Amino acid sequence: MEISTEIIKEADVLVVSLIMGMILLLVYDQIRIFRRLIPHGTMWVGIEDILFWIASAVALFAMLYRENSGYIRGFAIGGVVVGMLIYNLLLSRLVVRVSVFLLRKILFLISRPFAWTARLFHRPIGFVRKTGKKVVRFLKNRLKKVWRTIRIGLCKR
């Protein structure tokens, strides 16, 4: 018994669409990781979502065009949805949690030298700032006195 080449081609399209669904959700997980590391408002979340869905529609169209000559077939769309579901149920939560945990630890370790440096220079910079304010206040008062003297001298004439 021999399998038709058309059925093999449709099975290939189904496998590619399953993989495409998993990749799309993996990319969306990267956006979710970014949102957890750098929280931002609902407007930016909406913009990110719109850009993601536009890019995923283009990627899905390119996949359909390449694999199925541009024909939109129900099983191909269903394959993308099933691929997303499989990835979401099996890997999504783990990928997001582990990635956020590791990236936060890495960012913490990278930021430590900067925190130490800032703490080291905090007192000297504060001293310079405080002294600078006193000097500016003194010079301003002196300038006012000089200006008063000049004004009085000009008014006497």
Side-chain angles (χ1 to χ4, degrees):
M1 182 161 73
E2 206 169 299
I3 298 175
S4 166
T5 57
E6 288 296 318
I7 292 176
I8 292 174
K9 179 67 177 161
E10 288 182 4
D12 287 344
V13 171
L14 181 63
V15 169
V16 169
S17 63
L18 283 168
I19 293 170
M20 182 67 151
M22 291 178 182
I23 290 171
L24 286 176
L25 213 55
L26 177 67
V27 170
Y28 193 75
D29 276 350
Q30 303 308 309
I31 294 172
R32 289 174 56 203
I33 292 166
F34 175 70
R35 287 178 187 165
R36 288 195 184 173
L37 291 175
I38 305 171
H40 39 283
T42 55
M43 182 183 79
W44 288 108
V45 170
I47 290 171
E48 290 169 357
D49 283 346
I50 288 172
L51 291 175
F52 168 76
W53 286 111
I54 289 171
S56 64
V58 169
L60 187 60
F61 175 76
M63 185 269 305
L64 286 172
Y65 186 76
R66 186 181 61 248
E67 297 295 326
N68 205 21
S69 301
Y71 291 114
I72 299 174
R73 306 285 301 266
F75 72 91
I77 301 299
V80 171
V81 171
V82 169
M84 287 178 156
L85 286 173
I86 290 171
Y87 176 81
N88 190 35
L89 293 174
L90 297 179
L91 295 173
S92 181
R93 184 175 294 145
L94 178 71
V95 167
V96 172
R97 283 185 181 172
V98 169
S99 297
V100 168
F101 176 78
L102 290 176
L103 286 173
R104 280 189 178 152
K105 292 296 181 188
I106 290 170
L107 290 173
F108 176 77
L109 291 174
I110 290 173
S111 69
R112 291 320 304 159
F114 296 112
W116 292 332
T117 306
R119 200 174 306 134
L120 179 69
F121 289 114
H122 180 70
R123 275 205 177 127
I125 289 174
F127 175 75
V128 169
R129 183 182 295 149
K130 192 175 181 181
T131 307
K133 283 183 181 180
K134 287 180 182 179
V135 168
V136 166
R137 193 177 326 126
F138 173 77
L139 291 175
K140 187 176 176 183
N141 288 336
R142 281 292 186 199
L143 190 60
K144 281 181 183 178
K145 287 181 182 180
V146 169
W147 176 246
R148 261 190 245 133
T149 306
I150 291 173
R151 217 173 55 202
I152 290 173
L154 289 176
C155 290
K156 284 186 177 179
R157 290 184 186 186

